[in-house]
Amino acid sequence: MPAKTHQKELTFACDPRHLVDIRAAVQSMWSDRGLAERDGRLVTLAVDEALASIIDHARGTNRQGDIKISIDLDETRFRAVIDDFTNHCDSSGMMENELRAHLENERKHQMGIFLMREVMDEVNYTYRKGFQNELTLVKFV
């Protein structure tokens, strides 16, 4: 008998007001399967941190666009694929003070990356120039 896979796909504007809905969707999928509550909270936190970082970075550089998250959970793993269509920040035209501010902002996100790597079993990032950023988070259950 094939494993039952629970899937959700959500697309939303680059706005932090949508994070509450994403957190609820992840937590609901996790708890509906009867998996460990603590692990569910940690996975929800990692997904929330990834999305908050994307939104913060995009808003800080005045970029517009949508974010799509595809979530699936089966008998062996939870996977979230986050596609960020807000375009990558091109630092080539920045003045020195703008570049310093950008790098300082990046340092703030290093703790979020650390958290994601601690909670999740796999964290993979892909950038396709002019198209999108894709972040995949996997947790084996």
Side-chain angles (χ1 to χ4, degrees), residues 1-7 33 73-77:
M1 180 176 208
K4 175 74 172 150
T5 301
H6 301 276
Q7 299 176 317
R33 289 285 316 280
L73 176 62
D74 63 25
E75 310 237 338
T76 61
R77 59 124 178 90

Side-chain angles (χ1 to χ4, degrees), residues 52-108:
S53 180
I54 291 167
I55 291 168
D56 183 49
H57 192 264
R59 290 168 61 101
T61 55
N62 293 318
R63 293 179 290 147
Q64 301 294 315
D66 289 335
I67 299 170
K68 180 177 84 173
I69 182 167
S70 303
I71 308 165
D72 63 83
L73 176 62
D74 63 25
E75 310 237 338
T76 61
R77 59 124 178 90
F78 168 91
R79 181 179 63 183
V81 179
I82 303 167
D83 293 312
D84 164 17
F85 299 97
T86 62
N87 295 320
H88 185 69
C89 179
D90 179 9
S91 60
S92 62
M94 288 184 177
M95 301 296 286
E96 186 175 338
N97 60 342
E98 292 173 313
L99 186 55
R100 279 193 192 135
H102 174 71
L103 292 174
E104 186 60 36
N105 191 38
E106 288 302 307
R107 284 191 197 106
K108 288 190 306 186

